[in-house]
């Protein structure tokens, strides 16, 4: 059997953002503009902003200065990444455990984790937002897409580094919520027979689009399974009732046949007369 994802684990995912993607992500994080269908607006007041974002021109100007200081002579491309968008999510059991913490503890845990990631990447934290108005508790954050040496963070985000981040996520969050475990490694899950589509990390944007659909599909499947089980149960009950009725009928027929046989034997004996043991018929 393929190894599933660990429901007791937290996960952290990163994605590079061009200026246009960064602006879309910020609108989503700060709940500005039209809300997606999967957002429950009645719960948006429960969201919390832990780090307010800087204006984009400050970030891009800073990136350009860092690139120039690093000896980069070519001008930054218009679609080059300016932010790294991150999301912190939880397995079903980890979410219940982490959600039971006080808000202040949740905030401290998320803040500590994002700062630890930023320290590893040698870049500042640009924003942190906690969302509680979607189907699952999660946190969004963003980092400047270049380190202090003017190098793009995308060059460091290889498979080994991203795996180390999952370990870092476990190490930091488990200090605040001891029930949290490290997630199963991707290769271990693949080796156990899991499909690549179940293991591959999807982008933050894809997660927001696909997860609500997947949840609704799973709920629909769950309802279909329950309905099918109820139908099967009713059919089994009907079969048992029919079988019981058939057995009762068979028993009644057999009893009637036995009674009829007894009566026939009695009539036959009466017609022939009873022959005693001594062989002399008496009238």
């Amino acid at each position: 059997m393929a190894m599933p994802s660990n429901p007791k684990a937290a996960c952290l995912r990163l994605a590079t953002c061009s200026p246009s993607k960064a602006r879309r992500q910020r609108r989503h994080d700060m709940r500005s503009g039209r809300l997606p269908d999967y957002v429950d607006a009645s719960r948006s007041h429960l969201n919390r902003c832990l780090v307010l974002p800087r204006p984009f021109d400050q970030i891009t100007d800073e990136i350009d200065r860092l690139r120039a200081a690093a000896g980069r002579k070519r001008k930054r491309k218009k679609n080059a990444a300016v932010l790294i968008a991150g999301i912190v999510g939880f397995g079903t059991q980890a979410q219940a455990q982490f959600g039971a913490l006080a808000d202040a503890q949740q905030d401290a845990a998320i803040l500590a984790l994002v700062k630890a990631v930023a320290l590893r990447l040698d870049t500042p934290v640009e924003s942190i937002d906690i969302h509680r108005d979607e189907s699952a508790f999660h946190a969004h954050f963003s980092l400047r897409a270049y380190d202090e040496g003017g190098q793009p963070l995308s060059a460091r985000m290889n498979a080994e580094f991203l795996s180390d981040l999952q370990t870092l996520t476990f190490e930091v969050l488990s200090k605040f919520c001891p029930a949290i475990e490290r997630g199963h490694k991707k290769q271990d899950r693949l080796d156990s027979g899991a499909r690549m589509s179940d293991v591959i990390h999807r982008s933050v944007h894809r997660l927001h689009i696909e997860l609500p659909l997947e949840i609704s599909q799973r709920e629909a499947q769950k309802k279909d399974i329950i309905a099918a089980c109820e139908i099967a149960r009713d059919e089994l009950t009907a079969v048992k009732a029919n079988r019981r009725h058939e057995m009762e009928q068979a028993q009644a027929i057999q009893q009637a046949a036995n009674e009829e046989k007894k009566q026939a034997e009695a009539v036959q004996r009466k017609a022939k007369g009873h022959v005693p043991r001594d062989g002399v018929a008496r009238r």
Side-chain angles (χ1 to χ4, degrees):
M1 181 179 293
M3 182 187 297
S5 58
N6 188 351
K8 297 180 181 180
C11 67
L12 184 148
R13 298 180 183 178
L14 301 177
T16 57
C17 287
S18 64
S20 58
K21 287 184 179 179
R23 285 181 169 80
R24 286 199 301 271
Q25 186 63 47
R26 181 170 292 185
R27 286 196 296 271
H28 171 83
D29 295 350
M30 301 190 71
R31 293 295 188 252
S32 60
R34 183 180 178 277
L35 295 178
D37 294 337
Y38 54 80
V39 171
D40 182 357
S42 67
R43 292 176 52 83
S44 292
H45 67 283
L46 299 175
N47 296 342
R48 303 192 294 277
C49 178
L50 306 186
V51 175
L52 286 169
R54 292 191 291 168
F56 280 110
D57 56 355
Q58 288 186 18
I59 298 173
T60 54
D61 288 347
E62 190 172 79
I63 289 174
D64 292 338
R65 288 196 301 270
L66 291 169
R67 292 182 77 254
R72 299 292 185 91
K73 296 181 179 180
R74 289 186 178 182
K75 189 175 181 180
R76 175 174 50 85
K77 293 182 179 180
K78 291 184 179 180
N79 62 346
V82 294
L83 287 181
I84 299 294
I87 183 170
V88 182
F90 299 86
T92 52
Q93 295 182 38
Q95 184 171 167
Q97 297 287 344
F98 192 81
L101 299 177
D103 290 353
Q105 288 180 291
Q106 294 175 5
D107 294 352
I110 296 298
L111 191 60
L113 174 58
V114 176
K115 285 184 174 180
V117 174
L119 185 62
R120 287 279 181 96
L121 291 169
D122 192 25
T123 196
V125 177
E126 295 295 347
S127 67
I128 303 178
D129 292 276
I130 290 178
H131 286 174
R132 300 191 65 114
D133 56 358
E134 297 181 37
S135 58
F137 173 96
H138 61 278
H140 290 277
F141 65 91
S142 64
L143 311 172
R144 191 183 62 205
Y146 285 76
D147 63 21
E148 292 298 327
Q151 302 301 316
L153 299 184
S154 57
R156 301 168 59 179
M157 290 165 53
N158 55 30
E160 182 179 359
F161 177 78
L162 294 176
S163 178
D164 289 343
L165 284 188
Q166 303 310 315
T167 302
L168 178 66
T169 300
F170 158 69
E171 291 174 347
V172 173
L173 295 185
S174 62
K175 293 178 181 178
F176 296 86
C177 183
I180 287 179
E181 299 178 357
R182 194 205 186 281
H184 300 313
K185 292 186 176 182
K186 180 192 296 185
Q187 193 57 52
D188 291 342
R189 294 183 62 194
L190 291 174
D191 291 343
S192 70
R195 296 177 301 175
M196 179 60 76
S197 59
D198 293 330
V199 175
I200 191 170
H201 288 175
R202 289 171 284 181
S203 68
V204 174
H205 180 63
R206 281 186 59 197
L207 283 171
H208 277 296
I209 293 175
E210 295 173 2
L211 280 181
L213 177 60
E214 290 177 4
I215 292 171
S216 64
Q217 288 174 339
R218 293 290 176 86
E219 289 295 330
Q221 291 173 357
K222 182 179 178 180
K223 291 179 181 178
D224 290 342
I225 292 172
I226 293 174
C229 289
E230 291 177 347
I231 292 173
R233 181 194 61 197
D234 293 342
E235 290 178 348
L236 181 60
T237 301
V239 168
K240 288 181 177 179
N242 290 335
R243 184 172 296 177
R244 184 167 55 251
H245 180 65
E246 291 173 356
M247 290 179 64
E248 290 173 351
Q249 283 186 324
Q251 290 175 353
I253 292 172
Q254 185 63 44
Q255 288 176 355
N258 292 340
E259 186 64 28
E260 185 177 351
K261 182 179 179 181
K262 288 180 180 179
Q263 291 178 357
E265 290 176 348
V267 170
Q268 188 177 13
R269 286 196 301 270
K270 186 175 181 180
K272 292 182 178 181
H274 179 64
V275 181
R277 291 182 179 182
D278 55 11
V280 181
R282 296 178 175 82
R283 298 183 179 278

